[in-house]
Amino acid sequence: MSDFDITITPAAADKVRHLVAEEDNEYLKLRVFVTGGGCAGFQYGFTFDEEAAEDDAVIELEGATFLVDPLSYQYLEGSVVDYSEGLQGARFVVTNPVATTTCGCGSSFGI
């Protein structure tokens, strides 16, 4: 458990561990962020970083590390980060309680 109000599912942690092992780089951490754009106003993004910034929220679960910068954190607070494999493909998914609108692909939202 962490002191942060962002929930990481075991499926998301498992996928991050798997991707880190594939890259053979134990220092990789998944950065979850929000940027302006997308069809609904804001867009979720995911990238790997080797180092956390001093002001990042660092969330660890089952051997996987997730990073969230302070600006993104305010839009992600209360969210659940999951990993899903289905008809729409395999992807990280954010369920965000502050999103008032979302697009059909689920990668952008409005507040």
Side-chain angles (χ1 to χ4, degrees):
M1 299 301 285
S2 71
D3 293 334
F4 301 106
D5 192 22
I6 296 173
T7 301
I8 307 297
T9 67
D14 185 55
K15 186 60 179 180
V16 168
R17 276 194 322 275
H18 179 75
L19 292 170
V20 168
E22 277 184 1
E23 292 297 317
D24 195 26
N25 183 346
E26 65 186 54
Y27 300 106
L28 290 176
K29 302 153 185 49
L30 185 68
R31 179 172 296 283
V32 182
F33 61 94
V34 173
T35 59
C39 52
F42 293 98
Q43 187 169 324
Y44 301 113
F46 304 91
T47 188
F48 278 101
D49 276 343
E50 288 188 348
E51 294 187 28
E54 187 175 306
D55 57 353
D56 280 341
V58 179
I59 305 166
E60 296 179 343
L61 178 69
E62 299 176 3
T65 304
F66 296 78
L67 306 174
V68 182
D69 65 86
L71 182 61
S72 297
Y73 190 90
Q74 66 184 339
Y75 296 108
L76 292 169
E77 194 167 6
S79 294
V80 175
V81 178
D82 194 10
Y83 182 76
S84 173
E85 293 181 9
L87 295 176
Q88 294 181 337
R91 60 193 175 120
F92 287 98
V93 179
V94 177
T95 304
N96 190 336
V98 299
T100 56
T101 59
T102 58
C103 69
C105 67
S107 66
S108 70
F109 68 101
I111 54 173

